[in-house]
């Protein structure tokens, strides 16, 4: 078929809508991750002591990842039945409001055990919302993009995550530089959360002006929405759902290791200053964004699958080399370790915004893509930061590197098991059976 899609002007507007909302949602998500590394052990888990408090704090990150597959099913249902646009408005509202409320929760010193419970509940709401966010933002671009540049245009939802992280880190760096340690721990960390009230308004303004995608409208015109899209996806394309669920475990593991665990590792184990670690975190986040753009652009030339395979193959060796490099305990080697880690993750991540939607039929694409993406988030994003401290304490840093290498092998095997489909028309049904 001819390469159809929205005009360049329309695609720029769609990309802004896709990326802007995702920037805000991931900003919300990442300020929580930064606070969990720097503040929450003292604010919400002081009775557990430094080590156990840190583990409990990172566990609050994990509950959001567990909630994300549930959110993908919930919002995937609405996205496949009501449309991508309406669902994206819902996810933005839930994410923004739950984030702002975290900034208003009293500490454990004021209300006891109720404080961490409230934080966990709000974190679950964040996870539910994010479970539907990336998919909707990505489909908004992918289902409008011309076939020849679908990889490039579809990466803006993913790029929003990188920008959101940079903004979150920059916000904390600014606050850290303008107030004392005591003031930061007392109230300064709350400012980025409360600011989400304003950001929600900005995101809603952008998203309400976007039209529904032609692929969804065409599906409705042909026969209506699927009654139970998630169940239909499991019934019609179980193989694709299974392998797509493992496709991103390395990406999530590398990225969240860099932006959460390594922040804590740099300050507490390597004894680097907080401003140094946060500044390097901003640099690593920017490198992640550059790598996303590069991986997406290359995928339009040589194929999504080859890029993802290359990223996972390189990741296996880097996982084993990372901690020996970090343990020289200098700012330079910490920066190299963080930035190479996020570059590898970003390069493999870039094509995914096009690759995963290309696997599934329109009538359940939101549900299938979202569920697969967020299962990978649990395996790669929730587990490694939580178990990292326990693994290193019991077996040393090499064991953690080996664990990351295993996750990279899983991503590589899943990429090899799926077929390249960059020439598919997203407005047409995808084959129900694919082979490698």
């Amino acid at each position: 078929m001819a390469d159809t899609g929205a005009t360049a002007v329309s695609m720029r507007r769609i990309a802004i809508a896709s990326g802007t909302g995702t920037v805000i949602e991931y900003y919300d998500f990442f300020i929580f991750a930064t606070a969990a590394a720097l503040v929450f052990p003292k604010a919400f888990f002081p009775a557990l002591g430094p080590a156990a408090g840190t583990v409990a704090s990172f566990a609050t990150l994990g509950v959001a990842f567990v909630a994300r597959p549930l959110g993908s099913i919930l919002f995937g249902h609405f996205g496949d039945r009501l449309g991508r646009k309406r669902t994206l408005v819902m996810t933005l509202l839930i994410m923004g409001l739950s984030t702002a409320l975290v900034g208003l929760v009293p500490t454990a010193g004021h209300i006891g055990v109720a404080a961490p419970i409230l934080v966990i509940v709000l974190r679950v709401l964040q996870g539910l919302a994010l479970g539907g966010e990336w998919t909707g933002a990505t489909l908004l671009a992918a289902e409008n993009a011309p076939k020849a540049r679908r990889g490039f245009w579809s990466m803006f939802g993913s790029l929003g995550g990188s920008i959101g992280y940079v903004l979150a880190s920059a916000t904390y760096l600014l606050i850290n530089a303008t107030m004392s340690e005591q003031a930061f721990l007392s109230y300064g960390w709350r400012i980025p959360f409360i600011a989400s009230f304003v950001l929600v308004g900005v995101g809603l303004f952008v998203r309400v002006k976007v039209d529904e995608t032609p692929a969804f409208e065409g599906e409705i015109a042909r026969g209506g929405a699927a009654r139970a899209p998630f169940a239909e996806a499991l019934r019609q394309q179980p193989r694709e759902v299974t392998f797509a669920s493992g496709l991103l475990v390395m990406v999530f593991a590398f990225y969240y290791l860099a932006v959460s665990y390594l922040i804590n590792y740099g300050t507490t184990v390597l004894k680097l200053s907080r401003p140094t670690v946060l500044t390097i975190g901003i640099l690593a986040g920017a490198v992640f964004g550059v790598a996303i753009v590069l991986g997406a652009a290359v995928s339009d030339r040589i194929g999504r699958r080859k890029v993802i395979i290359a990223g996972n193959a390189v990741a296996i060796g880097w996982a084993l080399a990372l901690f020996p490099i970090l343990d020289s305990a200098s700012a330079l080697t910490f920066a190299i370790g963080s930035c190479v880690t996020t570059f590898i993750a970003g390069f493999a991540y870039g094509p995914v915004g096009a690759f995963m939607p290309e696997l599934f039929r329109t009538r359940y694409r939101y549900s299938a893509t979202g569920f697969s993406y967020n299962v990978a988030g649990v395996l790669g994003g929730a587990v490694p930061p939580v178990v990292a401290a326990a693994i290193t304490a019991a077996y040393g840093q090499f064991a953690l590197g080996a664990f990351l290498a295993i996750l990279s092998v899983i991503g590589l095997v899943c990429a090899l098991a799926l077929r390249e489909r960059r020439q598919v028309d997203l407005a047409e049904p995808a084959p129900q059976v694919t082979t490698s």
Side-chain angles (χ1 to χ4, degrees):
M1 292 185 63
D3 189 2
T4 60
T7 65
V9 173
S10 297
M11 282 310 307
R12 283 194 291 270
R13 177 171 53 82
I14 292 165
I16 290 171
S18 172
T20 300
T22 310
V23 166
I24 294 169
E25 292 223 20
Y26 275 90
Y27 166 85
D28 289 349
F29 198 73
F30 286 133
I31 59 174
F32 193 106
T34 304
L38 300 178
V39 179
F40 286 2
K42 296 177 182 178
F44 297 113
F45 303 100
L48 299 179
T54 298
V55 172
S57 183
F58 281 119
T60 64
L61 299 179
V63 298
F65 284 101
V66 174
R68 283 173 64 165
L70 300 177
S72 71
I73 296 172
L74 174 64
F75 293 110
H77 181 85
F78 292 128
D80 283 323
R81 288 187 60 81
L82 302 179
R84 291 38 168 147
K85 175 182 173 178
R86 293 181 185 178
T87 305
L88 284 171
V89 170
M90 286 191 285
T91 60
L92 181 62
L93 279 171
I94 294 172
M95 172 64 84
L97 295 177
S98 60
T99 300
L101 290 174
V102 171
L104 301 176
V105 174
T107 64
H110 290 92
I111 61 172
V113 71
I117 291 174
L118 286 173
V119 168
I120 290 170
V121 169
L122 292 170
R123 185 60 171 172
V124 168
L125 290 175
Q126 279 192 324
L128 290 173
L130 202 64
E133 166 61 28
W134 177 87
T135 312
T138 297
L139 293 186
L140 194 67
E143 292 182 345
N144 278 289
K147 193 184 303 181
R149 301 199 69 202
R150 188 185 292 143
F152 174 79
W153 289 115
S154 299
M155 62 84 186
F156 279 90
S158 302
L159 187 62
S162 171
I163 297 171
Y165 172 70
V166 170
L167 290 178
S169 297
T171 300
Y172 273 110
L173 184 63
L174 177 63
I175 291 172
N176 185 77
T178 55
M179 61 178 58
S180 67
E181 175 80 6
Q182 183 178 1
F184 176 77
L185 292 174
S186 175
Y187 67 87
W189 67 270
R190 298 179 182 273
I191 296 173
F193 287 90
I194 297 172
S196 292
F197 281 120
V198 177
L199 296 177
V200 168
V202 175
L204 287 176
F205 176 78
V206 172
R207 286 198 165 166
V208 296
K209 293 181 175 294
V210 178
D211 295 329
E212 188 52 77
T213 71
F216 176 79
E217 291 181 334
E219 187 68 28
I220 295 298
R222 282 193 295 270
R227 179 169 297 180
F230 177 64
E232 186 173 331
L234 293 180
R235 186 171 60 253
Q236 297 292 337
Q237 292 187 263
R239 184 178 183 278
E240 285 77 8
V241 171
T242 300
F243 286 114
S245 295
L247 189 70
L248 285 171
V249 289
M250 178 280 291
V251 171
F252 278 109
F254 271 41
Y255 185 64
Y256 282 100
L257 189 84
V259 305
S260 59
Y261 176 76
L262 289 187
I263 290 177
N264 183 270
Y265 187 81
T267 55
T268 60
V269 177
L270 303 182
K271 304 302 181 183
L272 300 173
S273 69
R274 182 184 296 162
T276 297
V277 171
L278 288 174
T279 301
I280 290 172
I282 293 172
L283 178 62
V287 168
F288 184 67
V290 171
I292 288 172
V293 176
L294 180 62
V298 171
S299 79
D300 281 329
R301 292 181 174 272
I302 68 172
R304 332 285 186 216
R305 185 171 172 268
K306 290 180 180 178
V307 173
I308 297 169
I309 288 171
N312 279 280
V314 172
I316 297 171
W318 179 250
L320 300 175
L322 175 60
F323 284 99
I325 291 173
L326 290 178
D327 284 345
S328 64
S330 73
L332 177 60
T333 54
F334 185 76
I336 292 171
S338 298
C339 290
V340 173
T341 300
T342 56
F343 182 87
I344 293 171
F347 187 73
Y349 188 36
V352 170
F355 184 71
M356 291 184 75
E358 288 166 351
L359 294 174
F360 301 108
R361 298 178 63 190
T362 304
R363 60 188 286 109
Y364 49 72
R365 182 174 293 136
Y366 203 127
S367 297
T369 300
F371 179 76
S372 302
Y373 179 85
N374 286 291
V375 167
V378 173
L379 298 175
V383 176
V386 172
V387 304
I391 290 176
T392 54
Y395 305 106
Q397 302 291 359
F398 182 80
L400 179 57
F403 176 66
L404 294 173
I406 291 170
L407 295 181
S408 303
V409 170
I410 292 172
L412 177 62
V413 170
C414 290
L416 289 169
L418 294 167
R419 191 174 67 179
E420 178 64 53
R421 288 182 49 79
R422 77 179 190 271
Q423 297 302 323
V424 71
D425 186 344
L426 292 186
E428 294 182 345
Q432 296 182 10
V433 178
T434 61
T435 58
S436 58

